[in-house]
Amino acid sequence: MASQYYQDMQESFRNNNKSREFPAHSAKVHSVAWSCDGRRLASGSFDKTASVFVLEKDRLVKENNYRGHGDSVDQLCWHPTNPDLFVTASGDKTIRIWDVRTTKCIATVNTKGENINICWSPDGQTIAVGNKDDVVTFIDAKTHRSRAEEQFKFEVNEISWNNDNDMFFLTNGNGCINILSYPELKPIQSINAHPSNCICIKFDPTGKYFATGSADALVSLWDVEELVCVRCFSRLDWPVRTLSFSHDGKMLASASEDHFIDIAEVETGEKLWEVQCESPTFTVAWHPKRPLLAYACDDKDGKYDSNREAGTVKLFGLPNDS
């Protein structure tokens, strides 16, 4: 029997299954993320800028475009508890911290390589950034100075702290999840998670699980305490590029080059819904308070379609009559 939650969410999506797109950039969008209060959505793009939207009822209203990077903005994230600050990682060998109140860059931190992934520690004190040479730099969020730097001997794909801030996780090109103690950065464990490249990792807001996505098109769900795989989700056919847990930790969105986003019920692995897309999806992010999913796709067919803005941000979960 389907759970009550499953039935409730299916009913909710039947009434709210509209997707709408909002012009954001002049080239493809690599990353979308919500501020902790859910009032704003930020996007980072190949066009070297970040954009910030304000969520007004059921639409995104563009508030600002943030310029300054000299290369593609590959990933961005918000401060875990301050809804005004976000940080961007770029191929220009810098990270930039921005404040939406002043719409200015409050810090530019020079790093050693082309940056491709970034995360902010749950306590807000540290920003970790990884580059194409598999170096992860830990930057003090207040002084903007480097605290530590680790060179890894494997391909580092995505990085994340656990919710308790005492462990640091990396997914790697050999299909492993490497776990370090934090702040000591001593290896605790290496888990053989997938037979091929382990691409992305996300922790659920409740702290019970984390999920990884890999090149074998599988999503694995892991118990944080036991560090064992609880179940796998196998509805995608292409490498899993992006993952996001809903605010209650009960739904997991995953996406790839498949032309749909899979929405699974975490506790059963059942497909709750799928969001149809016209092209591969680069990034997904559930709203921190409601069942609203932000996402961004590749340009249709890879060709620039003059009828359509190249770098749009999309929202799914809007009322059908909106």
Side-chain angles (χ1 to χ4, degrees), residues 33-321:
W34 293 99
S35 58
C36 60
D37 60 2
R39 280 196 60 222
R40 288 181 169 87
L41 180 80
S43 57
S45 166
F46 186 70
D47 71 4
K48 308 177 186 175
T49 74
S51 286
V52 172
F53 297 84
V54 175
L55 179 64
E56 289 184 7
K57 272 199 179 155
D58 297 317
R59 63 195 187 104
L60 292 171
V61 178
K62 195 164 184 183
E63 183 180 56
N64 234 301
N65 194 241
Y66 292 80
R67 299 175 184 282
H69 279 300
D71 202 344
S72 173
V73 177
D74 279 358
Q75 210 176 24
L76 53 77
C77 62
W78 291 83
H79 187 290
T81 53
N82 180 339
D84 298 320
L85 300 180
F86 70 98
V87 61
T88 48
S90 169
D92 67 3
K93 301 188 176 183
T94 70
I95 68 165
R96 285 175 177 255
I97 304 172
W98 311 85
D99 189 328
V100 298
R101 290 164 300 190
T102 60
T103 71
K104 287 192 170 63
C105 172
I106 56 171
T108 302
V109 183
N110 292 305
T111 58
K112 288 191 171 164
E114 296 177 40
N115 300 312
I116 49 176
N117 45 38
I118 195 159
C119 59
W120 210 312
S121 64
D123 65 8
Q125 292 181 21
T126 313
I127 295 164
V129 57
N131 70 24
K132 283 185 177 168
D133 304 317
D134 308 311
V135 174
V136 177
T137 306
F138 294 85
I139 294 159
D140 186 309
K142 286 201 175 65
T143 65
H144 312 132
R145 291 199 176 94
S146 170
R147 278 190 181 157
E149 195 174 81
E150 288 284 316
Q151 168 76 61
F152 293 94
K153 293 185 172 69
F154 48 75
E155 179 190 331
V156 175
N157 285 324
E158 207 161 59
I159 52 179
S160 179
W161 273 270
N162 63 338
N163 297 16
D164 292 337
N165 218 110
D166 61 2
M167 290 196 286
F168 192 76
F169 287 64
L170 309 97
T171 58
N172 82 26
N174 308 323
C176 292
I177 305 164
N178 291 83
I179 307 168
L180 309 177
S181 62
Y182 191 81
E184 304 80 16
L185 300 177
K186 296 280 178 279
I188 295 177
Q189 199 167 339
S190 175
I191 303 171
N192 290 323
H194 293 271
S196 61
N197 200 342
C198 190
I199 299 170
C200 45
I201 183 166
K202 279 290 182 304
F203 281 77
D204 99 61
T206 70
K208 188 176 178 185
Y209 299 119
F210 66 89
T212 56
S214 90
D216 59 14
L218 288 179
V219 174
S220 309
L221 186 73
W222 301 79
D223 181 297
V224 169
E225 290 295 311
E226 307 286 331
L227 295 177
V228 293
C229 182
V230 183
R231 67 186 55 89
C232 282
F233 307 78
S234 57
R235 283 179 293 271
L236 297 171
D237 289 325
W238 291 86
V240 183
R241 290 182 174 181
T242 175
L243 296 166
S244 180
F245 282 96
S246 57
H247 67 97
D248 55 9
K250 292 181 177 178
M251 291 186 289
L252 178 61
S254 55
S256 64
E257 288 179 51
D258 290 275
H259 287 194
F260 67 90
I261 299 165
D262 184 77
I263 297 178
E265 182 181 31
V266 169
E267 283 304 336
T268 61
E270 293 288 316
K271 179 172 90 173
L272 225 166
W273 204 264
E274 63 179 39
V275 182
Q276 294 302 317
C277 310
E278 291 170 329
S279 55
T281 301
F282 288 125
T283 174
V284 294
W286 282 109
H287 188 274
K289 293 180 178 169
R290 52 186 269 215
L292 194 60
L293 185 73
Y295 62 104
C297 301
D298 200 354
D299 307 343
K300 228 189 309 187
D301 306 326
K303 293 194 288 285
Y304 184 74
D305 181 345
S306 58
N307 303 328
R308 211 169 138 272
E309 192 76 29
T312 60
V313 167
K314 300 180 181 177
L315 281 188
F316 163 76
L318 301 170
N320 297 351
D321 54 10

